[in-house]
Amino acid sequence: MPAETLDLREVPPPQRHPMIHEAFQTLDSGEALEIVNDHEPKPLFYEFQAEVEAFDAEGYSCEERGDGNYVARLPKA
């Protein structure tokens, strides 16, 4: 179960990554941030993998839930 879920589909693209980083930062170790997005967030995965030490890349998951909506889980180590 995610500690927090962000639905980013209506958020302007330039505001998305800062919102995600801010929400992720508030998580405790072992918790996860879930994001709902209108595209596969592969660039976000690579950004977190390279820049966020607490990101558990091995536990990352993403699935398409129809109509171009994607749900990604970003766990915190």
Side-chain angles (χ1 to χ4, degrees), residues 20-27 33 48 52 54-55 74-76:
I20 295 166
H21 280 275
E22 185 177 312
F24 187 83
Q25 201 170 34
T26 67
L27 298 177
L33 174 64
F48 263 67
V52 181
F55 175 56
L74 297 104
K76 190 170 190 176

Side-chain angles (χ1 to χ4, degrees), residues 17 37 46 51 54 56-57 74:
H17 284 212
N37 210 353
Y46 293 126
E51 298 176 10
D56 177 10
L74 297 104

Side-chain angles (χ1 to χ4, degrees), residues 20 35 44:
I20 295 166
I35 62 168
L44 177 69

Side-chain angles (χ1 to χ4, degrees), residues 2 4 10 35 37 41 45 54-55 61-62 64-66 69-72 77:
E4 184 174 353
E10 300 297 321
I35 62 168
N37 210 353
F45 169 80
F55 175 56
S61 64
C62 182
E64 185 175 7
R65 292 206 178 152
N69 292 317
Y70 290 82
V71 177

